[in-house]
Amino acid sequence: MTSKLTRVLLLLAIASPAIAAEPFEPWPSKDQLRSIEQAAYACSRDNSTEACARARELADPLMDHSRLPGLCKDVLWSLMDEAKVANTNDFRRKDTITTTARRIPRVCAEPAIKKEKPKARQA
């Protein structure tokens, strides 16, 4: 009995610093996601070094965000890859960046907590 209690206490002592070491990281705000989207639109439209660098600069910190799902990081990664200055700013380039930018608010937004429907009373 004593050895089991000792094991449990040792396990808790080892695990507690690891749990306490992870600080809470808030979900990116809608404004933050919207600013990334707007910067991507500017990159698509202007095809300038400054606009494209701004889009990549805003998206990069979210790649290390601990709470974002992999799908969101995939979209951000695609944007960072696409948001580069091109020789010709053709429709295909603009469409690719714009389509990726439109996905950011939908894929990276904080998921809504669904409330359970109250159970109907049985008579």
Side-chain angles (χ1 to χ4, degrees):
M1 180 71 174
T2 311
S3 68
K4 286 183 181 181
L5 181 62
T6 305
R7 287 181 193 172
V8 170
L9 290 175
L10 284 173
L11 181 62
L12 288 174
I14 292 170
S16 61
I19 294 169
E22 291 184 31
F24 177 76
E25 193 169 4
W27 206 273
S29 67
K30 289 181 181 181
D31 291 335
Q32 186 180 4
L33 297 175
R34 183 78 176 144
S35 65
I36 296 170
E37 183 183 15
Q38 293 298 321
Y41 291 151
C43 173
S44 167
R45 181 182 56 245
D46 302 339
N47 194 27
S48 68
T49 305
E50 297 83 24
C52 294
R54 177 78 177 144
R56 289 192 311 271
E57 183 180 291
L58 289 172
D60 187 43
L62 295 182
M63 292 299 294
D64 295 328
H65 198 285
S66 62
R67 296 181 67 197
L68 289 178
L71 183 60
C72 173
K73 291 181 182 184
D74 288 345
V75 172
L76 292 170
W77 183 264
S78 296
L79 177 66
M80 291 173 58
D81 186 47
E82 296 161 359
K84 295 178 182 168
V85 178
N87 293 333
T88 57
N89 196 19
D90 60 353
F91 176 74
R92 188 168 291 157
R93 175 190 177 275
K94 289 180 182 180
D95 190 47
T96 303
I97 294 173
T98 303
T99 303
T100 304
R102 282 188 191 128
R103 292 183 66 202
I104 291 172
R106 285 183 283 142
V107 174
C108 298
E110 184 173 12
I113 299 173
K114 294 181 181 179
K115 293 184 179 179
E116 291 183 28
K117 292 181 181 178
K119 295 182 180 180
R121 296 174 118 183
Q122 293 182 357

